[in-house]
Amino acid sequence: MDMIKKVPVREQDPEVRSHNFDEVCMGYNREEAELEASRCLNCRRPRCVVGCPVNINIPSFIMKIKDGDIAGAYDTISESSSLPAICGRVCPQETQCEGLCVRGIKGEAVSIGKLERYVADTAKAMGIKPHSAARRNGRKVAVIGSGPAGLSCAGDLAKMGYDVTIFEALHRAGGVLVYGIPEFRLPKNAVVDKEIENVKALGVKIETDVVIGKSTTIDALMKEDGFEAVFIGSGAGLPKFMNIPGEQALGVFSANEYLTRSNLMGAFSENSRTPIMRAKRAVIVGGGNVAMDAARTALRLGAETHIVYRRSEEELPARAEEVHHAKEEGIIFNLLTNPVRINADENGWVKSVTCLRMELGEPDASGRRRPVEVPGSEFDIACDCVIMSLGTSPNPLISSTTKGLDINRWKCIEADENSGQTSKKGVFAGGDAVTGAATVILAMGAGRAAAKGIDEYLSAN
Amino acid sequence: MFKILKKEYLAPTICLMDIEAPRIARHALPGQFVIVRVDEGGERIPLTICDYDAEKGTVQIVFQVVGGETFRMQKLEEGDSFLDFVGPLGVPSDLTELTPEELREKKICFIAGGVGTAPVYCQLKWLKKNGVDVDCILGARTKDIIVLEDAMREVSNLYVCTDDGSYGIHGNVCVALQQLWDEGKRYDRVIAIGPMIMMKFVCALTKELGVETIVSMNPIMVDGTGMCGACRLVVDGKVKFACVDGPEFDGHKVDFDQAMKRMKQYATEEGRLYLAAKEGDTHHGGCGSCG
């Protein structure tokens, strides 16, 4: 039995937050954090650590919170993670650390994610920085992409003493953390920029506006610019569409476009000159985290918002917390529903989506029950905006311009899981560019593994 | 920051700039484009590269003031800087893959319309450097807005036409092409760069004449690296992204009506922002787009 119930985290009221872009979750204060920390049993064989893709020593940092030692807790986390303020917010803890927490067997798991966030935010407020390398070794490593994989790889290499430069294609560093995840889940200036400053404080240089494969190539970086190793963390790539009739109508967007306009370009705010459609009624097709982000963005921009997903609630790939938040905010879920056609008005603008009802049949290759169309169930959902959130396929910009870099049949870069080594000497890769679209923390884990792989490779050469 | 080394007006609303961008200058090829951003809060604007000088480390752009962002760009002076200038993006012209010998065997006619003249110049100059002589039709509505005429003449056999007959051949670029054809000129390839409506009509004519035609598409873009899909077009019945699959496509396969419709997606909001930038506080409605 739980002696102390899990300490609930304070959140903005759903009615209020559905009209603003401020962060939904307000995090723990000191009192709440120390109380929640006291629920940790400090297991001798902590299962939570096994569940963490970067194996943070979780019981150790939680004990330090209990003792009021924020600097110590921050150091413990920093040994394994360079982006704690971000992971504390966007990791799927319920299937990782918290999913394995012993307290979760009979009661509720310790809120490890919220405690991690508390440590990171408090350390930032206290001006605590991660420790940089004592000595630089002067050896140059290039990192392509400043998303979670690139930042964690660069951070670790800098701590080992390497001279690291990150090349970022967009005008702002952060990758999916700035173009993909909305402000209300992950504040850009207050959280992402601060974590990036911490990585820079380790000695990492970041060059924005450089598209590797176009502005220069991996071969040129290695031959002309003196980089001894390269890490590719270029992310997931090109958005998929359904290839149904009417998809070129005005008012149909990829979730990537809609979110990039709102997040990277700041189109939700008065200060940005990038336009974004403020729909009256938006239909978001898909059930992943990106679909939830797009839906909650459309809602905040004033739309009555519908999610259309072809399977049932149980199969929704989005985190439970995101689905819960979306529902609280008033997003309407049309489950077991699949669009077959988009209908446009005489000016070419979307006026409705024709859908079919689905039912679940036998399990398919993914192990999930396959959705089957219900004959004759066609119906229309009236709307002026459709946002396709169906995942991405790899961007060929780098693989097509780098000789000797092998890709697999899904066009993802082939890389060793443990070291990140690719088929090309001195070139390593990790994150979505290797796995296809996955999570921030998995990309971070891959970045760290590659940092170790690069260090071993360069130490041997 | 990317410094403006030279600024010049080619016509009252068409502006040329040389930008300091050594990395881009070193890697650029004809047919590619850059994305620029004026300042924090600014949009990402794609512009086809008009010239580049690897030695000086400069890239030349030409733009027409058509909206809020280009109005702001035009206000920048020599010595000022763009906040962002990224590229070279897109696939270079497939001509750059041919040897000079192969190029010299081709009979090519370029068709340049309006601000599309500048990217055509880039290709003509590159071909001239490789010893290739080509014809070029330069079209404009009227004499006063013809740009880069002398420069174009240096690198091609130039035929100028104006819609109102105020200079050169009387008629649009299709009339001029038909006239050359009737005089016995024959081409293996036409390359048309200009407003979408012009490219559409050129393609209709060259389809009749049976001449392969390449066009350079300039749809709405955001990131320019394939990530967002804003620039998608239907080419040969398939969805293509202008930023990574193009910007040059087989013009006979492009769905122009679709592409032109998609250009209007943000028309109203663009117009509103332009008026706000141009007229500032003095604008109090009446334009029909700001409500």
Side-chain angles (χ1 to χ4, degrees):
Chain A
M1 277 290 289
D2 253 347
M3 296 303 286
I4 312 164
K5 285 273 176 220
K6 177 166 144 175
V7 181
V9 70
R10 285 165 293 117
E11 289 176 348
Q12 266 201 83
D13 180 75
E15 173 48 32
V16 175
R17 73 181 192 236
S18 62
H19 301 289
N20 70 43
F21 278 80
D22 298 338
E23 197 173 9
V24 169
C25 174
M26 298 192 257
Y28 285 147
N29 59 28
R30 179 170 178 171
E31 197 185 334
E32 291 161 341
E34 287 180 4
L35 186 61
E36 182 63 18
S38 73
R39 295 180 65 236
C40 175
L41 301 175
N42 196 10
C43 304
R44 196 199 301 238
R45 287 202 191 85
R47 294 166 15 121
C48 52
V49 179
V50 181
C52 172
V54 297
N55 307 115
I56 294 175
N57 190 341
I58 293 164
S60 166
F61 93 73
I62 294 184
M63 289 305 114
K64 285 171 184 156
I65 297 178
K66 217 166 70 175
D67 298 340
D69 176 13
I70 296 300
Y74 185 73
D75 281 348
T76 301
I77 298 175
S78 296
E79 283 166 19
S80 313
S81 167
S82 16
L83 312 166
I86 292 165
C87 292
R89 286 171 165 86
V90 301
C91 263
Q93 291 101 5
E94 65 279 8
T95 58
Q96 298 177 359
C97 53
E98 294 177 20
L100 292 178
C101 176
V102 185
R103 289 221 84 134
I105 298 171
K106 285 187 178 168
E108 283 192 277
V110 174
S111 263
I112 301 168
K114 302 291 185 288
L115 289 174
E116 181 185 24
R117 167 184 167 161
Y118 166 74
V119 171
D121 289 359
T122 313
K124 183 182 73 195
M126 293 165 68
I128 299 170
K129 297 262 171 202
H131 302 294
S132 55
R135 224 156 41 86
R136 312 236 134 256
N137 64 24
R139 303 183 76 174
K140 285 170 73 177
V141 180
V143 169
I144 303 170
S146 63
L151 286 173
S152 64
C153 183
D156 275 17
L157 287 167
K159 283 185 202 164
M160 295 174 199
Y162 290 96
D163 179 359
V164 186
T165 305
I166 300 181
F167 296 98
E168 166 56 48
L170 294 171
H171 58 260
R172 184 171 182 180
V176 73
L177 306 171
V178 298
Y179 76 73
I181 305 177
E183 184 73 17
F184 53 83
R185 272 214 301 137
L186 185 63
K188 308 296 162 237
N189 295 332
V191 178
V192 180
D193 284 359
K194 291 292 184 307
E195 294 278 55
I196 291 171
E197 275 166 31
N198 281 344
V199 173
K200 281 186 177 167
L202 296 170
V204 172
K205 294 177 278 254
I206 302 183
E207 276 196 52
T208 51
D209 290 334
V210 183
V211 184
I212 302 298
K214 290 291 173 189
S215 311
T216 185
T217 59
I218 288 181
D219 290 310
L221 288 176
M222 297 182 85
K223 285 195 195 107
E224 294 160 26
D225 301 326
F227 290 98
E228 295 184 61
V230 176
F231 172 73
I232 306 168
S234 53
L238 322 180
K240 286 184 191 156
F241 289 91
M242 290 189 84
N243 296 317
I244 56 173
E247 220 168 9
Q248 307 310 316
L250 303 188
V252 182
F253 307 94
S254 74
N256 267 13
E257 177 184 353
Y258 196 72
L259 289 171
T260 300
R261 284 180 182 275
S262 182
N263 303 335
L264 173 73
M265 306 308 295
F268 69 88
S269 131
E270 289 288 305
N271 301 325
S272 168
R273 301 198 298 273
T274 296
I276 190 164
M277 182 172 179
R278 290 165 190 264
K280 292 187 184 70
R281 210 156 188 247
V283 167
I284 286 79
V285 182
N289 286 321
V290 175
M292 298 305 136
D293 286 345
R296 296 171 70 195
T297 299
L299 177 91
R300 281 161 172 76
L301 291 172
E304 176 190 306
T305 305
H306 294 252
I307 294 263
V308 166
Y309 179 59
R310 64 198 181 115
R311 301 179 196 248
S312 73
E313 172 138 13
E314 208 175 300
E315 289 85 16
L316 277 173
R319 285 183 68 195
E321 183 178 323
E322 304 309 324
V323 175
H324 171 71
H325 278 153
K327 283 187 174 168
E328 271 187 346
E329 290 166 8
I331 285 165
I332 302 154
F333 283 71
N334 302 261
L335 301 166
L336 290 166
T337 304
N338 199 34
V340 289
R341 187 172 66 242
I342 295 168
N343 309 300
D345 67 15
E346 65 279 10
N347 296 317
W349 281 91
V350 174
K351 63 173 185 188
S352 66
V353 184
T354 302
C355 299
L356 280 177
R357 302 253 183 239
M358 310 294 277
E359 56 190 16
L360 293 181
E362 295 299 308
D364 62 14
S366 73
R368 299 179 298 180
R369 291 176 65 194
R370 184 196 301 275
V372 187
E373 293 173 1
V374 177
S377 62
E378 243 181 56
F379 70 104
D380 283 1
I381 302 177
C383 60
D384 58 346
C385 173
V386 178
I387 300 172
M388 293 293 177
S389 178
L390 310 159
T392 54
S393 61
N395 195 325
L397 268 184
I398 289 176
S399 55
S400 66
T401 54
T402 310
K403 282 189 204 88
L405 187 68
D406 289 350
I407 51 176
N408 63 23
R409 66 193 170 102
W410 296 282
K411 296 187 180 155
C412 294
I413 297 168
E414 293 261 23
D416 181 83
E417 211 176 306
N418 297 314
S419 68
Q421 174 68 56
T422 66
S423 58
K424 191 175 170 76
K425 196 166 176 278
V427 178
F428 298 72
D432 285 2
V434 171
T435 58
T439 61
V440 168
I441 188 69
L442 284 174
M444 270 190 56
R448 299 202 71 213
K452 211 163 140 261
I454 290 171
D455 182 46
E456 278 162 16
Y457 164 78
L458 290 178
S459 303
N461 283 273
Chain B
M1 300 289 271
F2 301 84
K3 203 164 161 190
I4 299 164
L5 300 180
K6 177 177 146 188
K7 177 186 176 184
E8 187 183 306
Y9 282 97
L10 302 177
T13 61
I14 299 180
C15 188
L16 173 151
M17 286 179 178
D18 281 347
I19 314 295
E20 190 175 58
R23 208 192 308 258
I24 303 175
R26 222 169 35 239
H27 293 94
L29 283 169
Q32 292 187 292
F33 66 95
V34 290
I35 284 187
V36 308
R37 212 164 64 109
V38 176
D39 55 25
E40 210 52 64
E43 264 194 272
R44 291 170 68 93
I45 302 293
L47 294 167
T48 313
I49 293 171
C50 302
D51 202 0
Y52 50 88
D53 187 327
E55 270 170 39
K56 282 195 210 150
T58 58
V59 174
Q60 190 169 87
I61 53 171
V62 170
F63 58 91
Q64 185 162 18
V65 180
V66 288
E69 288 307 309
T70 41
F71 179 72
R72 280 184 170 81
M73 282 162 61
Q74 164 210 237
K75 289 215 288 208
L76 297 176
E77 299 298 338
E78 284 175 12
D80 292 344
S81 293
F82 281 92
L83 184 57
D84 297 289
F85 197 82
V86 58
L89 299 168
V91 182
S93 158
D94 64 353
L95 296 177
T96 61
E97 290 165 17
L98 302 180
T99 63
E101 291 71 39
E102 288 170 318
L103 284 171
R104 265 174 240 132
E105 280 172 20
K106 280 200 174 283
K107 299 284 294 168
I108 305 173
C109 181
F110 279 86
I111 297 184
V115 77
T117 307
V120 166
Y121 173 70
C122 188
Q123 304 214 14
L124 294 175
K125 187 179 164 189
W126 185 88
L127 286 166
K128 185 78 179 176
K129 211 173 74 187
N130 283 282
V132 187
D133 283 323
V134 296
D135 288 352
C136 178
I137 297 168
L138 168 55
R141 209 175 60 246
T142 183
K143 182 172 189 257
D144 299 341
I145 53 173
I146 294 169
V147 298
L148 296 169
E149 186 188 347
D150 295 341
M152 299 284 279
R153 207 175 285 285
E154 267 176 42
V155 289
S156 70
N157 313 313
L158 191 69
Y159 303 89
V160 182
C161 62
T162 50
D163 292 1
D164 64 0
S166 52
Y167 188 66
I169 300 168
H170 186 168
N172 62 27
V173 292
C174 292
V175 171
L177 178 62
Q178 185 70 58
Q179 193 174 317
L180 294 181
W181 191 268
D182 293 343
E183 286 167 10
K185 295 260 189 194
R186 289 295 177 267
Y187 302 107
D188 308 320
R189 177 185 279 198
V190 164
I191 300 170
I193 307 180
M196 277 200 203
I197 187 78
M198 178 203 94
M199 296 193 285
K200 177 187 166 175
F201 284 121
V202 168
C203 287
L205 172 60
T206 56
K207 205 166 188 175
E208 250 174 59
L209 301 176
V211 183
E212 175 195 45
T213 302
I214 301 295
V215 294
S216 177
M217 301 300 283
N218 50 351
I220 294 170
M221 286 188 190
V222 186
D223 67 291
T225 64
M227 196 183 78
C228 83
C231 66
R232 63 187 191 274
L233 305 161
V234 178
V235 181
D236 204 12
K238 295 187 196 77
V239 173
K240 296 278 176 193
F241 291 178
C243 67
V244 287
D245 299 319
E248 296 196 352
F249 292 99
D250 178 340
H252 293 159
K253 294 182 176 161
V254 171
D255 184 339
F256 282 103
D257 293 339
Q258 189 69 258
M260 284 189 283
K261 215 182 269 174
R262 285 187 59 80
M263 287 296 278
K264 290 189 210 144
Q265 188 136 280
Y266 292 103
T268 324
E269 282 178 66
E270 261 277 317
R272 187 173 49 76
L273 288 168
Y274 175 53
L275 285 172
K278 194 171 177 174
E279 301 186 16
D281 291 340
T282 63
H283 181 68
H284 298 290
C287 64
S289 66
C290 69

